[in-house]
Amino acid sequence: MDIESPDKLIELLDRHAYLADEGLATAAFLALRMGRPLFLEGEAGVGKTELAKTLAALLEAPLIRLQCYEGLDAAQALYDWDFARQLLHLKAAEAAGITDVNRLEGEIYDRRFLIARPLLKAVETQPSVLLVDEIDRADDEFEAFLLEVLSDFTISIPELGTVRASTPPVVVVTSNRTREVHDALKRRCLYHWLEHPSFDREVAILLRRLPACTETLATQVARAAERLRRADLVKPPGVAETLDWTEALLTLGARELDPGKAAATLGAALKYREDVATVLGNGLLSHG
């Protein structure tokens, strides 16, 4: 798909119910045009992962997600051999009377016994969108390995040879900044920090994503979300939580944010007991 400008990308994202501002759209446009990974940092729930999903939808490409976590290693991100199927093949060959060791070794390391994990899938699939989600949760060693893969999108499989992407995937790397990511990885990417949306943009997002939402309810929820983000909370609500909160209110038939329903549905917006106690104890839901 030929996307000729950031404004065009904003329009295309909007068609898929993702409202991007000019800064984010420009960063994403440049990443697409320059073939560089897009590194998105920001609080949880501000739309980093959702952008990758929306890019995959508008590019009509599969989204391949690598969810990072502590202890993730190269094998879990690249490929595994299907040992159970290999063993069954050996048993079947033995039953058939095949004893040629070289032949058997060649057969069990055939491509059909290889399980492609996200990075190998992304290299083999053209086009594709590779989402490396929450890289800040992975270890330093994995970060260094990822940098090597992103440099040339080439993966070496000793038993089969080298797999190289003829068309590199679109890559989105996200971080919630629970720790600092190394400069080497950031330098490989185009960087953008996602803020919580402005009040007007958040109202627009609620109305766009939840057609049943009234303008009054969207306005009041966005105002409440602003107050919660200014409060001293462990985890202030992001856009994802604001959407969940509004959907919960709509499920209860609310057309405006009254304190009773707001308190009853607060678990959709806040995920820590201490935060709920702070909000209710300080009367943060009673303001208009």
Side-chain angles (χ1 to χ4, degrees), residues 6 14 21 46 74 117 119 135 142 154 171 186 197 212 231 257 278 286:
D14 179 71
D21 60 25
V46 294
R117 300 303 185 194
L119 292 180
I135 185 63
F142 181 78
T154 298
V171 180
K186 285 186 175 181
L257 187 67
T278 297
S286 61

Side-chain angles (χ1 to χ4, degrees), residues 200-278:
D200 289 340
R201 185 171 294 277
E202 188 149 28
V203 170
I205 290 170
L206 293 175
L207 294 173
R208 186 77 170 80
R209 297 292 294 272
L210 300 169
C213 183
T214 64
E215 190 164 347
T216 298
L217 181 59
T219 299
Q220 291 174 339
V221 170
R223 287 281 184 222
E226 277 191 334
R227 290 196 299 273
L228 298 186
R229 289 168 192 151
R230 289 196 298 265
D232 186 21
L233 302 181
V234 176
K235 171 61 179 70
V239 181
E241 288 75 28
T242 306
L243 284 163
D244 286 345
W245 193 16
T246 306
E247 187 173 4
L249 289 161
L250 289 170
T251 302
L252 294 180
R255 297 184 63 79
E256 60 181 30
L257 187 67
D258 68 79
K261 283 191 174 67
T265 55
L266 196 54
L270 302 178
K271 309 302 179 183
Y272 287 86
R273 179 180 62 84
E274 298 88 343
D275 288 347
V276 173
T278 297

Side-chain angles (χ1 to χ4, degrees), residues 131-170:
L131 168 61
V132 182
D133 216 5
E134 299 183 330
I135 185 63
D136 52 317
R137 295 183 181 275
D139 302 323
D140 291 350
E141 292 79 7
F142 181 78
E143 202 177 305
F145 158 75
L146 180 63
L147 179 63
E148 181 181 345
V149 173
L150 295 183
S151 65
D152 58 7
F153 296 102
T154 298
I155 293 173
S156 176
I157 303 173
E159 299 86 353
L160 295 178
T162 299
V163 180
R164 180 175 286 103
S166 56
T167 302
V170 174

Side-chain angles (χ1 to χ4, degrees), residues 30-109:
L30 291 174
L32 292 171
R33 274 297 178 90
M34 298 168 65
R36 298 277 294 278
L38 177 61
F39 190 102
L40 299 176
E41 259 190 337
E43 300 290 339
V46 294
K48 303 183 297 296
T49 299
E50 194 64 27
L51 177 66
K53 293 178 180 178
T54 309
L55 285 174
L58 71 86
L59 295 171
E60 298 181 345
L63 176 72
I64 299 171
R65 182 173 183 169
L66 173 60
Q67 180 62 52
C68 298
Y69 53 87
E70 186 177 352
L72 176 65
D73 62 25
Q76 293 162 316
L78 282 174
Y79 63 87
D80 280 323
W81 287 104
D82 190 336
F83 296 116
R85 288 188 63 207
Q86 287 174 318
L87 184 59
L88 286 173
H89 181 77
L90 288 176
K91 287 183 176 180
E94 182 182 3
I98 299 172
T99 57
D100 186 334
V101 174
N102 291 330
R103 175 184 167 182
L104 288 174
E105 184 176 353
E107 288 180 350
I108 64 170
Y109 287 112

